[in-house]
Amino acid sequence: MSQAPVKVAVTGGAGHIAYSLLFRIIQGQLVGPDTPVELRLLEIAPAMKALEGVAMEIDDCASPLVSNIVMSDDPNVAFDGANICLLVGARPRGKGMNRSDLLAANGAIFAPQGQAINDHAADDVRILVTGNPANTNTLIARTHAPDVPATRFTSLMRLDHNRALSQLAKKTGAAVTDIRKLAVWGNHSDTQYPDITHATIAGRPAVEVVNDTNWMENEFIPTVAKRGGAIIDARGASSATSAANATADHMHDLLVGSPAGDWVTMGVTSDGSYGIPEGLICGMPCTTSNGEYEIVQGLEFSAFGKAKLAATIAELENERQAVHELGLV
Ligand code: NAD
Ligand code: LMR
């Protein structure tokens, strides 16, 4: 193994999502099939023993890509030299909760972690927040890392994007690979706006193929937006493997590049495009290459789309205000 390993920090290493995610990483699904990785796993003190068990299982996979495993309950250690930080560790919601109910409990995790990334991560660090409420937790972490460019911080909206792809493929009988240019705007919450108005299916406008506005507005959008809750109801626990899959997809595509002619949805810092207040972490369609993203510009919205976008932005602004009042931003 001559190549220098990429240092990948994962928080919540003993949790459910990490239990899928780590095994994807050691199979090369994050940074590529030939690139060695050093895993830097962060947990809280009571979960360190469980984390050791996870590390034993990683060892037992005998993956040629694993150069080293570091475990710590100190973010300053876990993020030291990290090129990639996957911030997964946070409490999941239970039945009957909204993701924003987690703001106070989880928000406090992301201020010290942002600070530790600021102080110790590698100069080329890329950060993805999966822990909920993911958009606003990203805002908190970014606020506490003033020396790290804001564009390095992204939040997970890829699960919503993948859910939308899958629902649209089912409705139309198309292969997911035939669908291009889906977008999910706004918050990773029930107010999000999964948008097929710019999408194509095998080159044809998706709205023409679907030809069913009622389905789009009253079935597709709520099914995608409320999917996390539906999984909690059915499984008794929040999505884990699909969340790990989306976390790996997001970071892989950010590093390696989005497919030609297609978009990926990421929660990114608004640059004011589409009237979205600057600085909010908002789901938007992006193209990516070499660890950088560009927000897709110049898209038109219907009156329905404008109202959906306004509602999800209002919720993000409320969350920002709530964490401001908690002293976190
Ligand atoms: P989990 O409870 O199984 O695991 C969370 C782990 O994080 C636990 O092991 C816990 O000890 C650890 N942890 C808690 N505080 C920590 C801290 N300060 N530092 C390091 N580790 C810490 O939960 P899970 O199912 O793995 O979900 C993790 C988070 O991801 C939840 O907030 C969940 O809501 C969220 N999630 C987000 C998406 C998304 O699309 N954005 C999808 C699914 C789940
Ligand atoms: C999801 O979308 O599955 C996660 O955010 C978990 C949740 O609370 O819905």
Side-chain angles (χ1 to χ4, degrees):
M1 214 188 268
S2 55
Q3 211 179 333
V6 173
K7 296 186 180 183
V8 183
V10 180
T11 74
H16 287 97
I17 294 175
Y19 198 66
S20 283
L21 178 60
L22 292 170
F23 297 92
R24 284 167 193 265
I25 296 172
I26 68 169
Q27 287 166 356
Q29 290 180 28
L30 196 72
V31 291
D34 303 316
T35 308
V37 290
E38 174 176 296
L39 294 172
R40 305 189 66 86
L41 308 179
L42 181 71
E43 257 300 347
I44 51 173
M48 287 306 287
K49 187 163 165 49
L51 184 62
E52 280 168 28
V54 174
M56 286 158 71
E57 288 206 63
I58 293 170
D59 279 345
D60 294 351
C61 291
S63 165
L65 294 182
V66 180
S67 76
N68 190 21
I69 306 175
V70 175
M71 288 175 274
S72 180
D73 60 2
D74 180 351
N76 296 303
V77 174
F79 296 135
D80 191 25
N83 308 104
I84 295 171
C85 298
L86 303 175
L87 307 189
V88 177
R91 198 182 137 196
R93 66 174 166 152
K95 279 191 189 184
M97 288 172 79
N98 289 316
R99 296 186 188 93
S100 59
D101 295 335
L102 299 168
L103 267 181
N106 287 344
I109 294 173
F110 291 85
Q113 290 189 1
Q115 179 75 56
I117 288 169
N118 190 68
D119 295 347
H120 299 286
D123 287 345
D124 66 355
V125 66
R126 301 291 188 278
I127 304 110
L128 167 58
V129 177
T130 294
N132 276 321
N135 301 52
T136 298
N137 288 338
T138 310
L139 184 72
I140 296 168
R142 190 195 70 203
T143 303
H144 291 266
D147 302 331
V148 179
T151 52
R152 302 291 183 77
F153 284 87
T154 55
S155 78
L156 189 67
M157 295 288 295
R158 183 60 175 267
L159 182 52
D160 309 290
H161 184 105
N162 287 349
R163 287 168 172 165
L165 273 177
S166 186
Q167 292 301 319
L168 185 57
K170 272 191 186 173
K171 168 74 176 172
T172 58
V176 284
T177 45
D178 284 338
I179 302 174
R180 300 263 189 283
K181 299 189 173 176
L182 258 179
V184 184
W185 300 87
N187 201 1
H188 174 62
S189 78
D190 293 1
T191 67
Q192 67 183 244
Y193 172 36
D195 176 10
I196 66 165
T197 60
H198 313 285
T200 58
I201 302 178
R204 283 181 63 202
V207 280
E208 206 180 283
V209 179
V210 169
N211 195 23
D212 186 347
T213 308
N214 182 51
W215 175 81
M216 190 178 81
E217 294 180 1
N218 300 315
E219 282 188 50
F220 169 72
I221 292 175
T223 299
V224 174
K226 295 181 181 168
R227 187 70 159 185
I231 289 169
I232 292 169
D233 275 347
R235 224 172 75 83
S238 75
S239 64
T241 293
S242 57
N245 180 65
T247 300
D249 280 353
H250 173 125
M251 191 49 81
H252 173 270
D253 286 355
L254 178 60
L255 299 174
V256 172
S258 47
D262 202 0
W263 305 339
V264 289
T265 299
M266 304 196 306
V268 297
T269 296
S270 172
D271 59 357
S273 305
Y274 302 105
I276 300 166
E278 264 183 63
L280 277 187
I281 300 282
C282 185
M284 285 192 254
C286 297
T287 55
T288 58
S289 72
N290 285 326
E292 308 291 341
Y293 65 80
E294 281 186 32
I295 299 168
V296 176
Q297 298 292 334
L299 301 173
E300 300 287 334
F301 284 81
S302 64
F304 174 83
K306 278 184 191 155
K308 292 293 294 176
L309 184 63
T312 195
I313 289 169
E315 185 185 46
L316 283 170
E317 288 186 294
N318 285 341
E319 288 188 12
R320 176 162 69 179
Q321 183 58 28
V323 293
H324 176 67
E325 283 162 18
L326 290 167
L328 294 169
V329 299

